[in-house]
């Protein structure tokens, strides 16, 4: 069984991430490929972690700095839906490569869109596949997370960053505005004044500033980022998947409602956990001084 550190080393080696040649890594035995995974052109998927319970998605258009073309987004949506439906998967990690998490929507693909084509095709509709995911999604951001790339990271539940990561909403430079949550989620993360500054100037912020602002929860050396992110996913995976899902729903409710109705929502979910076997098991295990054995019930 490959250790997390070994997988990370393999993923971060130039032979793998910088060229996108997963299968051509010098020691392929380090990486257990997701043999049943559908063929993707713009992403790579794998199942990692000591218990093989972490779904890993790597955005894989290195030449275009992982610009989020439509085909990539369709594949990403499908991979997230598949991992969400897979009972063996506890959490999902989305990452890019050392240079870019994602440099935004694909400007070359988008440049000839018009209002009616956007409206008729429901441009961006696949974003909902990610926000509807019940399992925790963690973004591991190295390099650029710009425009749609920053918005994708913010759509995730937790953002870990490598120390060279750069975040920004530079849409203003190309005559448009953020279209996948940048004007809505960013102020909720960092407050109005900082969000306005980022959106109205298009300036980039680095990983440490992003951490200070609360956009990112932790910053790691570049080569440690994926390993630490997978560890976090594994740690989450030690808990009851059912209760993790309810906890995620409840935190997300804080962004959807008033404090009063959010507190009511939280209380009803809290009461609801007392109808689950896993709540009973968790408390019994504590009292009996033994590790819990959660059954996702
Ligand atoms: N779209 C398409 N191609 C891109 C993009 C992009 N967003 N970003 C980089 N590339 C391409 C470049 O065109 C270049 O390709 P080529 O070699 O064929 O010329 C290649 O990637 C490498 O890029 P650079 O040579 O520019 O690399 P640098 O290291 O010099 O610069 C930067 C890196 C600063 C990241 C620079 O590439 C840049 O500014 N990119 C654009 C960033 C941007 O404006 N992002 C916002 C896009 S708009 C948006 O995201 C709207 C969101 C709406 C919702 C999302 C829907 C999916």
């Amino acid at each position: 069984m490959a250790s997390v550190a070994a997988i990370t080393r393999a993923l971060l080696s130039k032979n793998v991430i910088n060229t996108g040649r997963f299968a051509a890594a010098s020691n392929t035995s380090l990486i257990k490929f997701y043999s049943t995974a559908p063929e993707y052109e713009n992403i790579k998927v794998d199942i990692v972690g000591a218990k093989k319970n972490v779904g890993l998605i790597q955005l894989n258009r290195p030449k275009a700095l992982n610009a989020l073309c439509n085909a990539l987004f369709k594949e990403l949506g499908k991979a997230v839906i598949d991992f969400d439906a897979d009972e063996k998967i506890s959490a999902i990690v989305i990452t890019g490569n050392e240079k870019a998490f994602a440099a935004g929507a694909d400007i070359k693909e988008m440049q000839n869109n018009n209002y009616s084509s956007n409206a008729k095709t429901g441009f961006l509709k696949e974003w909902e596949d990610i926000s509807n995911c019940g399992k925790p999604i963690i973004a591991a951001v190295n390099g650029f997370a710009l425009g749609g790339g920053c918005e994708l990271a913010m759509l995730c539940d937790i953002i870990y960053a490598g120390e060279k990561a750069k975040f920004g909403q530079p849409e203003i430079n190309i005559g448009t505005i953020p279209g996948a949550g940048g004007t809505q989620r960013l102020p909720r993360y960092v407050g109005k004044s900082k969000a306005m500054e980022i959106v109205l100037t298009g300036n980039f912020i680095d990983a440490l500033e992003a951490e200070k602002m609360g956009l990112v929860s932790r910053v790691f050396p570049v080569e440690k980022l994926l390993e630490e992110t997978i560890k976090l996913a594994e740690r989450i995976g030690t808990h009851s998947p059912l209760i993790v899902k309810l906890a995620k729903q409840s935190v997300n409710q804080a962004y959807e409602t008033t404090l009063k109705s959010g507190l009511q929502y939280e209380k009803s979910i809290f009461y609801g956990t007392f109808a689950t076997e896993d709540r009973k098991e968790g408390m019994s295990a504590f009292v009996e001084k033994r590790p819990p054995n959660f059954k996702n019930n």
Side-chain angles (χ1 to χ4, degrees):
M1 178 88 47
S3 70
V4 168
I7 290 166
T8 304
R9 273 197 307 279
L11 287 173
L12 282 175
S13 78
K14 283 196 169 47
N15 277 347
V16 179
I17 272 192
N18 286 349
T19 65
R21 281 185 288 126
F22 249 159
S26 54
N27 186 354
T28 46
S29 64
L30 290 179
I31 306 171
K32 176 86 181 81
F33 289 99
Y34 187 19
S35 54
T36 56
E39 282 299 310
Y40 290 120
E41 281 179 23
N42 301 287
I43 62 171
K44 289 184 177 289
V45 294
D46 199 0
I47 294 181
V48 297
K51 292 189 179 157
K52 291 281 165 212
N53 63 347
V54 178
L56 175 64
I57 302 173
Q58 185 199 4
L59 310 182
N60 187 38
R61 293 187 73 211
K63 286 188 188 144
L65 303 186
N66 291 333
L68 303 165
C69 63
N70 288 325
L72 184 152
F73 231 85
K74 283 196 171 66
E75 292 180 5
L76 180 59
K78 171 158 178 35
V80 167
I81 289 172
D82 287 350
F83 280 144
D84 200 22
D86 184 340
E87 285 217 347
K88 294 189 281 314
I89 297 297
S90 304
I92 299 165
V93 172
I94 301 181
T95 195
N97 57 46
E98 276 185 50
K99 173 133 195 207
F101 176 73
D106 190 319
I107 301 169
K108 294 168 190 166
E109 185 180 70
M110 187 170 61
Q111 69 170 329
N112 295 320
N113 283 14
N114 57 38
Y115 173 76
S116 6
S117 67
N118 286 344
K120 277 195 261 183
T121 59
F123 184 51
L124 309 179
K125 62 179 183 300
E126 288 82 11
W127 287 75
E128 290 181 16
D129 295 336
I130 297 164
S131 53
N132 288 338
C133 178
K135 290 178 184 166
I137 309 183
I138 311 162
V141 177
N142 266 323
F144 295 112
L146 305 176
C150 186
E151 291 169 313
L152 172 60
M154 289 191 289
L155 203 53
C156 297
D157 300 301
I158 300 171
I159 307 177
Y160 272 9
E163 55 200 0
K164 293 192 183 147
K166 293 216 178 311
F167 297 83
Q169 296 290 161
E171 290 89 343
I172 201 91
N173 295 329
I174 55 167
T176 184
I177 71 164
T183 66
Q184 302 303 302
R185 288 199 176 90
L186 192 58
R188 286 166 161 86
Y189 276 103
V190 306
K192 177 177 168 180
S193 178
K194 286 185 192 302
M196 279 290 186
E197 193 182 332
I198 292 166
V199 170
L200 299 185
T201 61
N203 289 348
F204 300 166
I205 52 168
D206 65 30
L208 289 175
E209 274 178 283
E211 185 187 28
K212 212 163 88 188
M213 287 177 186
L215 178 60
V216 156
S217 53
R218 282 172 201 247
V219 176
F220 296 97
V222 170
E223 66 286 357
K224 283 266 169 205
L225 173 69
L226 193 58
E227 177 183 340
E228 293 294 337
T229 310
I230 292 170
K231 270 196 218 157
L232 172 68
E234 289 184 290
R235 170 88 182 100
I236 293 170
T238 63
H239 301 305
S240 157
L242 171 63
I243 305 298
V244 165
K245 184 173 182 172
L246 296 176
K248 168 172 167 164
Q249 263 172 29
S250 198
V251 174
N252 277 338
Q253 196 64 17
Y255 290 92
E256 306 288 346
T257 189
T258 61
L259 179 60
K260 193 171 177 193
S261 48
L263 289 170
Q264 276 165 356
Y265 182 88
E266 181 192 67
K267 181 115 348 125
S268 65
I269 298 280
F270 171 72
Y271 287 173
T273 62
F274 283 72
T276 69
E277 290 301 316
D278 283 353
R279 192 284 311 166
K280 214 184 286 174
E281 167 63 10
M283 292 192 183
S284 302
F286 176 82
V287 172
E288 292 159 20
K289 299 188 188 301
R290 61 171 173 80
N293 180 16
F294 293 122
K295 297 272 198 274
N296 197 18
N297 259 315

